[in-house]
Amino acid sequence: MQRLLFAITGAIVLALASYGLVELFALWYGPRHIKSDSDIGDAFMTALAFMLICLIAGGVVGFRWAGRRAKP
């Protein structure tokens, strides 16, 4: 049960961190490089893929960290 809790917590923490990074990137990237709706769609899909990867990575890191803490 502890491993599941750590995995969920790790996933949530990394997902929130990635959301913050995506927001900062969007503030910089948007006004400088987006010229059409297609550019917006590409940037949005890239951001979603990045956040999904961070979500999965956070779950894996949390799961492994809980396993490391459980061993004496």
Side-chain angles (χ1 to χ4, degrees), residues 31-58:
R32 289 172 178 80
H33 300 287
I34 292 180
K35 305 290 185 224
S36 68
D37 288 342
S38 177
D39 294 339
I40 293 171
D42 292 343
F44 184 73
M45 292 306 293
T46 304
L48 283 177
F50 173 71
M51 288 190 288
L52 177 64
I53 290 168
C54 287
L55 178 77
I56 293 168

Side-chain angles (χ1 to χ4, degrees), residues 11-47:
I12 289 171
V13 167
L14 232 60
L16 291 175
S18 70
Y19 179 77
L21 287 173
V22 165
E23 284 293 318
L24 290 174
F25 179 74
L27 287 173
W28 172 80
Y29 184 79
R32 289 172 178 80
H33 300 287
I34 292 180
K35 305 290 185 224
S36 68
D37 288 342
S38 177
D39 294 339
I40 293 171
D42 292 343
F44 184 73
M45 292 306 293
T46 304

